[in-house]
């Protein structure tokens, strides 16, 4: 069996009287894409924010590679190998692709100068070009191009590439194809497959169930802060997943609609 990357045990989180997470438990393994599905308000965002360090849970435990972890900030999550890519990709739009790929980890000369050390722009540019070639987008993009000149799909590609570059154990993708065109969407889905083939784990949050069946290995469904179902993609279908999300038998509803 593949090595465990992340395990959540009975996570609970409340905001006043609202129970956003209720004993949520989940396991991800190496080289696995898990789709986290649920209607609005199901608790998906709260769960990924807990994993990515945006706020601590009230109760429950998080394990990374079998070791109990304390994730109190985004830096804690990154240090544990957890990278979260939100819809806006969290890139610096006024910097180049190369700078974004190595942001906070830029190669420098005169390292003894610490934070005042100048960038080694030649090494930075060559490293960025090598990464772009590795992920298959070198024909389209110049490492010196500013991020604010890129399309939505290209930005997602850069954000995912950055996570791959720094060997993230787990990459969390929050609605990565939202508001993208057809070609850009296919590009992002291709990257998800490449990330898995490279041995990374992916937690994919999306409202598009069709995309789930293209790239995911397993589906986890949330309702009202609880994880209510888990299915392997190979052993389920679209109507079943929709029924689990809504809490009703969609097939029966469709039959009733046709009958009338």
């Amino acid at each position: 069996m593949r090595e465990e990357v992340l395990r959540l045990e009975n996570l609970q989180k409340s905001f006043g009287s609202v129970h956003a997470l209720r004993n949520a438990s989940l396991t991800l393994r190496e080289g696995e894409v898990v789709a986290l599905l649920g209607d609005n308000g199901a608790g998906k965002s709260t769960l990924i924010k807990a994993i990515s360090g945006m706020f601590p849970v009230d109760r429950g435990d998080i394990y990374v590679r079998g070791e109990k972890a304390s994730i109190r900030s985004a830096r804690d999550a990154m240090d544990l190998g957890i990278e979260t890519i939100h819809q806006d990709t969290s890139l610096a739009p006024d910097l180049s692709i190369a700078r974004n790929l190595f942001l906070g980890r830029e190669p420098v000369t005169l390292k003894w100068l610490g934070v005042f050390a100048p960038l080694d722009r030649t090494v930075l540019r060559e490293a960025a070009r090598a990464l772009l070639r590795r992920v298959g987008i070198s024909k389209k993009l110049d490492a010196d191009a500013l991020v604010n000149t890129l399309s939505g799909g290209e930005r997602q590609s850069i954000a995912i590439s950055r996570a791959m570059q720094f060997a993230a154990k787990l990459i969390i993708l929050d609605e990565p194809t939202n508001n993208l065109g057809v070609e850009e969407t296919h590009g992002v889905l291709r990257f998800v497959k490449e990330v898995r083939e490279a041995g990374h784990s992916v937690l994919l949050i999306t409202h598009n169930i069709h995309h789930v069946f293209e790239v995911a290995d397993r589906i986890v469904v949330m309702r009202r802060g609880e994880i209510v179902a888990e299915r392997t993609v190979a052993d389920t279908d679209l109507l079943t997943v929709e029924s689990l999300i809504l809490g009703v038998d969609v097939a029966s509803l469709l039959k009733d609609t046709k009958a009338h």
Side-chain angles (χ1 to χ4, degrees), residues 129-216:
R129 287 172 179 165
L131 177 59
L132 292 175
R133 285 195 299 271
R134 183 164 70 86
V135 298
I137 53 178
S138 58
K139 292 180 180 178
K140 284 188 176 183
L141 302 178
D142 182 345
D144 291 324
L146 298 181
V147 162
N148 61 17
T149 65
L150 305 181
S151 69
E154 289 168 340
R155 294 188 190 202
Q156 289 288 9
S157 299
I158 296 302
I160 295 170
S161 299
R162 183 172 65 187
M164 291 175 67
Q165 167 71 3
F166 294 104
K169 299 179 180 75
L170 170 63
I171 300 174
I172 301 173
L173 297 176
D174 182 13
E175 297 287 354
T177 60
N178 200 31
N179 298 322
L180 298 186
V182 173
E183 184 178 353
E184 293 177 333
T185 294
H186 285 307
V188 171
L189 295 177
R190 176 174 57 82
F191 272 93
V192 173
K193 294 175 183 177
E194 291 179 0
V195 166
R196 174 177 57 195
E197 290 169 4
H200 304 273
S201 303
V202 177
L203 184 59
L204 172 66
I205 295 86
T206 181
H207 282 92
N208 193 314
I209 302 177
H210 296 283
H211 294 166
V212 169
F213 279 89
E214 285 190 53
V215 299

Side-chain angles (χ1 to χ4, degrees), residues 10-259:
N10 302 315
L11 299 192
Q12 298 185 44
K13 180 67 181 180
S14 296
F15 300 97
S17 61
V18 178
H19 298 288
L21 291 178
R22 302 170 183 262
N23 296 316
S25 298
L26 172 67
T27 300
L28 278 87
R29 297 192 176 277
E30 193 173 61
E32 182 181 37
V33 176
V34 173
L36 182 64
L37 304 181
D39 215 343
N40 292 331
K44 306 185 303 298
S45 293
T46 303
L47 187 69
I48 64 169
K49 286 176 180 177
I51 301 169
S52 59
M54 293 186 70
F55 49 64
V57 294
D58 298 330
R59 303 179 75 175
D61 297 311
I62 300 175
Y63 295 84
V64 178
R65 298 284 190 187
E67 299 289 332
K68 191 173 180 179
S70 176
I71 303 178
R72 314 292 295 186
S73 67
R75 173 51 59 185
D76 288 342
M78 291 174 65
D79 289 343
L80 289 166
I82 300 171
E83 295 272 355
T84 302
I85 301 172
H86 300 284
Q87 291 180 41
D88 59 5
T89 71
S90 303
L91 297 178
D94 295 326
L95 295 180
S96 69
I97 291 172
R99 287 292 304 276
N100 270 278
L101 285 171
F102 294 90
L103 197 61
R105 306 174 175 102
E106 296 93 335
V108 297
T109 60
L110 307 177
K111 291 184 180 180
W112 56 273
L113 287 175
V115 295
F116 299 106
L119 289 177
D120 190 330
R121 296 187 182 278
T122 300
V123 172
L124 176 67
R125 190 175 295 111
E126 287 305 313
R129 287 172 179 165
L131 177 59
L132 292 175
R133 285 195 299 271
R134 183 164 70 86
V135 298
I137 53 178
S138 58
K139 292 180 180 178
K140 284 188 176 183
L141 302 178
D142 182 345
D144 291 324
L146 298 181
V147 162
N148 61 17
T149 65
L150 305 181
S151 69
E154 289 168 340
R155 294 188 190 202
Q156 289 288 9
S157 299
I158 296 302
I160 295 170
S161 299
R162 183 172 65 187
M164 291 175 67
Q165 167 71 3
F166 294 104
K169 299 179 180 75
L170 170 63
I171 300 174
I172 301 173
L173 297 176
D174 182 13
E175 297 287 354
T177 60
N178 200 31
N179 298 322
L180 298 186
V182 173
E183 184 178 353
E184 293 177 333
T185 294
H186 285 307
V188 171
L189 295 177
R190 176 174 57 82
F191 272 93
V192 173
K193 294 175 183 177
E194 291 179 0
V195 166
R196 174 177 57 195
E197 290 169 4
H200 304 273
S201 303
V202 177
L203 184 59
L204 172 66
I205 295 86
T206 181
H207 282 92
N208 193 314
I209 302 177
H210 296 283
H211 294 166
V212 169
F213 279 89
E214 285 190 53
V215 299
D217 301 296
R218 190 155 47 93
I219 294 170
V220 173
V221 179
M222 295 189 72
R223 283 202 312 269
R224 297 178 182 175
E226 295 183 89
I227 291 177
V228 296
E230 291 191 34
R231 299 285 189 276
T232 60
V233 168
D235 294 328
T236 192
D237 56 56
L238 188 68
L239 283 179
T240 299
V241 174
E242 288 180 336
S243 298
L244 291 170
I245 292 171
L246 297 174
V248 297
D249 187 343
V250 173
S252 296
L253 289 177
L254 291 173
K255 288 179 182 178
D256 291 342
T257 301
K258 289 179 180 179

